[in-house]
Amino acid sequence: MCAVRVDHHPVDHDGAVAQLRRSYAAVPAGAPVRLAKRTSNLFRPRSAPRAPGLDVTGLTGVLAVDPVARTADVQGMCTYEDLVDATLPHGLMPLVVPQLRTITLGGAVTGLGIESTSFRNGLPHESVIEMDVLTGAGEIVTARPEGEHADLFAAFPNSLGSLGYVTRLRIELQPLRRFVALRNVRFTRLEALADAIAEVSATRSWAGEAVDAMDGVMFSPGEAYLVLGAFTDDALPASDYTGQGIYYRSLRRRTHDALTTYDYLWRWDTDWFWCSAAFGVQHPVLRRVWPARWRRSDVYHRLVRWEHRHGVAARIDRLRGQPARERVVQDVEIPLERMAGFLRWFAGTVGMTPVWLCPLRLREPSGPGSARAWPLYPLRAGQNYVNVGFWGSVPIAAGAADGDVNRAIERMVSESGGHKSLYSDAYYDRESFDRLYGGATWRAVKDRYDPDHRLTGLYEKAVARA
């Protein structure tokens, strides 16, 4: 069976891997190992690098798409935006397409990802068939669900580069349709919302109609919306939220909607969910003059990083006598039966709105990565979860310290039987961290593939910000 090449220019993958290995060998012993990359979706401050980053400039492409086997071979630094551009002409898409364009395949596997198909397809790493990994020992190994390197395959998700860097992945693809028909279902009781999520997860339908994608938004405990999508080839009058329209606001105005599949996949990226409001981009006047090519999550993220470096807004707040603010940027997985209680606690304690809701269930036993234990992010098989995403800041109360709100969230997530992803601030002590994130398994795999511990440890990356 022959795979079909989809890259417009030949990719010298072997040469790119060789250059990566040379740049790794050039990093002095004891110096932090980092990727030299232009974009990042991390919200975790890090210490300044003391050595050049790893050269990954040649690892950004799609190597091949096999439309018969429904697989793609992709380099580790390829963005989902580029992958989707390559697979859509074949009528295919990844099983899960994380919501932001510049998330990379390697990043979604080593650092997790999620989207509206996760209630039936799980997380991105569950559709990986095999992957090539540059280990801490400087070797390239091919890890699969079974075989010699199955331990690395299982421990790689949520390892955040502490066990190695992926150079190539082979992933499953799924058929798609031209449009996505949407139903925006309003709920005034969170328990009713939870019941609806359970029903759709079990039957993949709602009110007699099929559901292929499901996520939602809570504006308050008394106003939440479940967005149910159905892929279709029927010609529909599609909305456009890349111009003056703002997607999340449409949920309150429309009970039915439609988007092209391409626009649906990136519906959240244009306004970074709702976070573009922090830059004034949702104001009609500024929106008209703000170039469309700048309405992207990576542009907003660069502005945030600039602010972190220079602290202009913080200085203005001090001059105005405003309290300092704590950044609260998190995604957490909460068991469905505990979702309503967690959301009420969050609304009363933290008070940030809106919040994103994305149902999740690990894959059933059918795909190559399904029904496996993922020890560094140990969700329970057969359990319905809801990813709750909230991104912003809150004023630091008198007598409180920066980090107190995030610590309270961590405690509530643990009490709820959930897990928190590690792309942003974390405050766990090491014992708690090891218990929650597979510390014993991580150490065993670390000792095998990075015996000299050249790569920064997981706790050091996630909590110590090394």
Side-chain angles (χ1 to χ4, degrees):
M1 186 179 297
C2 295
V4 178
R5 300 290 299 193
V6 297
D7 48 305
H8 295 292
H9 302 284
V11 176
D12 181 9
H13 180 67
D14 291 342
V17 172
Q19 178 57 33
L20 172 66
R21 297 182 72 176
R22 285 193 294 270
S23 67
Y24 182 68
V27 176
V33 178
R34 300 253 179 97
L35 297 180
K37 50 186 295 191
R38 292 179 301 172
T39 63
S40 172
N41 288 286
L42 291 178
F43 273 86
R44 201 171 55 243
R46 298 184 295 175
S47 57
R50 302 193 305 270
L54 301 185
D55 186 348
V56 292
T57 54
L59 293 169
T60 61
V62 178
L63 298 173
V65 173
D66 186 335
V68 178
R70 295 179 182 170
T71 62
D73 278 54
V74 187
Q75 293 180 298
M77 295 300 298
C78 178
T79 65
Y80 274 92
E81 180 175 33
D82 289 342
L83 176 58
V84 165
D85 286 348
T87 62
L88 255 60
H90 296 280
L92 297 169
M93 61 177 275
L95 270 61
V96 179
V97 180
Q99 58 273 23
L100 304 181
R101 293 174 182 266
T102 57
I103 292 175
T104 63
L105 273 291
V109 172
T110 195
L112 304 183
I114 194 170
E115 239 296 328
S116 59
T117 56
S118 288
F119 81 99
R120 58 187 178 89
N121 291 337
L123 298 173
H125 60 263
E126 296 190 85
S127 60
V128 175
I129 298 169
E130 65 179 28
M131 56 186 169
D132 296 340
V133 179
L134 172 68
T135 69
E139 301 172 343
I140 300 291
V141 302
T142 300
R144 301 183 178 92
E146 308 296 337
E148 180 183 3
H149 304 297
D151 56 346
L152 179 61
F153 186 92
F156 202 77
N158 206 42
S159 62
L160 303 179
S162 65
L163 299 178
Y165 297 102
V166 65
T167 62
R168 179 193 63 90
L169 309 97
R170 179 169 297 163
I171 67 167
E172 296 176 84
L173 303 173
Q174 64 178 335
L176 55 79
R177 307 297 181 194
R178 294 171 56 205
F179 297 93
V180 183
L182 300 173
R183 287 176 286 171
N184 303 327
V185 185
R186 177 173 173 161
F187 292 87
T188 57
R189 293 182 58 253
L190 294 174
E191 287 77 11
L193 172 64
D195 290 343
I197 292 172
E199 179 177 338
V200 174
S201 298
T203 67
R204 299 191 180 181
S205 65
W206 176 258
E209 297 183 30
V211 176
D212 298 308
M214 170 171 58
D215 68 340
V217 172
M218 185 191 79
F219 292 94
S220 73
E223 184 189 6
Y225 296 84
L226 195 58
V227 182
L228 306 175
F231 299 151
T232 179
D233 281 326
D234 295 340
L236 299 173
S239 298
D240 180 2
Y241 296 107
T242 63
Q244 288 298 104
I246 297 170
Y247 175 68
Y248 80 97
R249 294 182 180 178
S250 72
L251 307 187
R252 289 172 139 169
R253 299 195 307 266
R254 309 186 66 162
T255 58
H256 291 77
D257 204 349
L259 292 169
T260 66
T261 300
Y262 184 86
D263 283 349
Y264 176 78
L265 293 177
W266 307 128
R267 67 202 182 282
W268 292 121
D269 190 87
T270 301
D271 283 288
W272 214 13
F273 287 83
W274 32 82
C275 297
S276 65
F279 310 101
V281 180
Q282 294 183 23
H283 190 283
V285 175
L286 181 57
R287 196 173 186 87
R288 279 193 290 271
V289 299
W290 187 284
R293 67 182 183 278
W294 291 357
R295 296 178 202 152
R296 292 172 53 99
S297 59
D298 54 332
V299 172
Y300 305 134
H301 205 296
R302 285 197 292 269
L303 293 173
V304 169
R305 291 203 303 272
W306 184 88
E307 167 59 27
H308 287 167
R309 285 196 301 270
H310 301 287
V312 174
R315 288 199 297 270
I316 292 174
D317 283 345
R318 285 196 296 272
L319 291 173
R320 291 176 173 175
Q322 299 296 318
R325 301 186 69 85
E326 177 180 348
R327 178 176 57 203
V328 182
V329 176
Q330 306 288 353
D331 279 79
V332 300
E333 266 74 53
I334 303 297
L336 178 60
E337 62 272 17
R338 305 293 295 274
M339 178 196 74
F342 177 85
L343 290 176
R344 287 199 180 90
W345 173 88
F346 184 86
T349 303
V350 182
M352 290 170 52
T353 59
V355 299
W356 186 48
L357 307 174
C358 188
L360 158 69
R361 183 185 178 101
L362 295 183
R363 290 180 66 184
E364 301 298 331
S366 59
S370 61
R372 295 185 56 83
W374 306 105
L376 271 61
Y377 204 71
L379 301 179
R380 297 192 300 276
Q383 170 72 57
N384 291 326
Y385 293 87
V386 176
N387 175 280
V388 183
F390 38 93
W391 316 291
S393 64
V394 296
I396 299 174
D402 189 10
D404 283 356
V405 173
N406 280 283
R407 290 185 178 91
I409 291 169
E410 289 179 350
R411 288 192 296 271
M412 181 55 67
V413 170
S414 294
E415 291 173 10
S416 301
H419 288 277
K420 186 182 90 166
S421 61
L422 298 173
Y423 69 90
S424 188
D425 301 296
Y427 295 87
Y428 300 104
D429 61 74
R430 189 179 289 273
E431 181 180 357
S432 299
F433 186 87
D434 283 352
R435 174 174 50 81
L436 292 169
Y437 297 100
T441 298
W442 177 83
R443 275 188 289 274
V445 178
K446 179 77 166 176
D447 288 343
R448 179 183 179 190
Y449 293 95
D450 185 15
D452 296 328
H453 286 220
R454 289 199 66 194
L455 303 177
T456 305
L458 182 57
Y459 182 83
E460 286 71 24
K461 279 176 173 278
V463 181
R465 302 176 178 178

